[in-house]
Amino acid sequence: MESGAQHAMARLMELYRLMARIRTFEEVALAAHAAGELPGYLHPSIGQEAVAAGVCSVLRRDDRITSTHRGHGHALAKGAEVKGMMRELFGRAGGVCRGKGGSMHIADFSIGMLGANGVVAGGIPIAVGAAQGLRLLGSDAIVACFFGDGAINRGPFLEGLNWAALYRLPVLFVCEDNAVAAFTAACTVTAGPGVVARAESCGVAAESVDGNDVEAVAEAAARLIARVRRGDGPQLLHARTYRLLGHTSTDQAAWRDPDEVTRARANDPLIRARDRLRAAGVAEADLDAILAEARAEMEAARADALQAPWPEAAEAWEDVQDIGAEPVEQL
Ligand SMILES: Cc1ncc(C[n+]2csc(CCOP(=O)(O)OP(=O)(O)O)c2C)c(N)n1
């Protein structure tokens, strides 16, 4: 029979694999962007993978998530299909939103991924509404709501937490605190003692975790999700992490203190997971093989997206808004 230690190691291997897939998805997408293969720009979450992986690894398939402008990791960790996601970034037919959403609007209802969102804090009221819907349906599924440290200074944060707490809705709020809001140190624009205190002031139980320790994130999320699911009301997980790259794929992040970045690189969540796995006896070559396999999967998705057709022009008015009974020609 598998010992506790073996089980923990196998589980960490799976979390490492998931983080490697998120990391390589973004590295390959960034290379494609640099090569001019995809339109627009991307918001990379490189350095923050442990939050997405840890939280989503303890969700059920029928649980829902809402995400942010930096949402590739959340979607992949919830189980989104890689080729469909890559095609979406490339704006091609067969993308998860038929090539019409792009990076900041990835959604896949089949896995409970209710959407990335270009509006800072925009996912919060959607998550709370979805939780109210689940309550009405009599479901015991829950909603995990990801948002950044910048989002806590927007009105929807207060509105969402207040509503969820008042109705004891099944939401796990996850504040992915990468210390900056776009290009601004969040602490320079945030009053008071921070997100945990703000949550508690609304009656939402909250705790902080080292967001670069994937096992710690998974353990804390599992504990809080169990409370949410048994009806204790919304909970908040504050995950401290660091964004290793700039705000977008076009930002070289030259505005940052280089020493801070050097320190952060040593605290990379993938490196930390690798160190732990090596200490438990996993060979370096096996860890490299996981990364190589992930990179091959992502490069195959890039090649697939490059050769995929563009969406049909006739589909342009489908899915985007309710145009009512008026024929398109009369608008
Ligand atoms: C309502 C709104 N205001 C401003 C912006 C411009 N904007 C894009 S990202 C961002 C910072 C968000 O900070 P945070 O939530 O901490 O996420 P991060 O980008 O740091 O990961 C801002 C202000 C926006 N997208 N939406």
Side-chain angles (χ1 to χ4, degrees):
M1 220 174 73
E2 207 180 50
S3 74
Q6 278 172 329
H7 177 74
M9 193 176 77
R11 179 144 173 68
L12 182 54
M13 279 289 262
E14 279 321 300
L15 289 168
Y16 177 68
R17 189 186 307 279
L18 178 54
M19 292 195 294
R21 291 180 68 240
I22 297 170
R23 173 73 53 99
T24 52
F25 178 89
E26 291 198 325
E27 286 176 348
V28 168
L30 288 170
H33 174 263
E37 293 170 14
L38 59 87
Y41 55 88
L42 307 169
H43 293 86
S45 66
I46 287 178
Q48 304 181 190
E49 294 89 346
V51 184
V55 171
C56 291
S57 71
V58 290
L59 289 174
R60 294 192 327 217
R61 189 179 169 86
D62 64 335
D63 288 334
R64 314 314 201 237
I65 63 168
T66 59
S67 178
T68 66
H69 52 291
R70 210 175 291 291
H72 307 136
H74 307 141
L76 281 168
K78 189 66 175 70
E81 197 256 319
V82 167
K83 281 190 176 160
M85 271 184 68
M86 196 66 89
R87 283 190 180 205
E88 192 57 43
L89 265 51
F90 278 65
R92 305 297 177 113
V96 286
C97 298
R98 300 168 76 182
K100 291 189 258 181
S103 165
M104 267 197 289
H105 302 101
I106 284 182
D108 184 349
F109 291 179
S110 70
I111 50 146
M113 166 38 168
L114 302 185
N117 203 310
V119 179
V120 172
I124 297 175
I126 295 172
V128 173
Q132 190 108 52
L134 289 168
R135 162 82 47 84
L136 289 171
L137 289 169
S139 166
D140 73 338
I142 71 131
V143 187
C145 170
F146 293 94
F147 53 89
D149 43 289
I152 73 165
N153 292 330
R154 292 214 58 240
F157 174 75
L158 173 63
E159 296 172 28
L161 265 68
N162 177 62
W163 195 265
L166 191 62
Y167 291 97
R168 296 174 76 81
L169 294 176
V171 187
L172 175 67
F173 294 103
V174 182
C175 180
E176 208 164 5
D177 182 354
N178 62 14
V180 281
F183 310 96
T184 305
C187 62
T188 63
V189 290
T190 306
V195 64
V196 168
R198 286 192 191 179
E200 286 170 349
S201 78
C202 292
V204 175
E207 62 180 74
S208 294
V209 70
D210 176 349
N212 280 19
D213 179 341
V214 70
E215 289 179 297
V217 174
E219 186 274 325
R223 201 161 21 78
L224 298 185
I225 286 167
R227 286 190 211 153
V228 172
R229 214 181 294 283
R230 70 169 181 244
D232 289 358
Q235 314 278 313
L236 184 140
L237 183 63
H238 169 225
R240 289 180 310 269
T241 181
Y242 190 83
R243 194 182 72 212
L244 287 170
L245 299 186
H247 177 50
T248 66
S249 44
T250 54
D251 170 24
Q252 298 304 311
W255 45 274
R256 291 194 310 198
D257 173 5
D259 291 342
E260 177 187 295
V261 181
T262 306
R263 279 195 304 277
R265 289 209 175 280
N267 193 34
D268 180 326
L270 272 80
I271 292 178
R272 286 181 60 184
R274 282 179 78 104
D275 286 349
R276 220 170 268 175
L277 286 163
R278 262 201 318 268
V282 178
E284 185 88 41
D286 291 343
L287 296 167
D288 287 344
I290 288 175
L291 261 185
E293 200 178 296
R295 192 170 301 282
E297 178 190 8
M298 304 313 160
E299 286 291 1
R302 176 186 183 179
D304 169 75
L306 253 185
Q307 61 75 49
W310 296 102
E312 291 291 334
E315 289 176 9
W317 290 101
E318 290 172 20
D319 309 316
V320 287
Q321 68 181 112
D322 180 0
I323 57 167
E326 295 295 314
V328 172
E329 306 77 65
Q330 291 178 26
L331 290 177

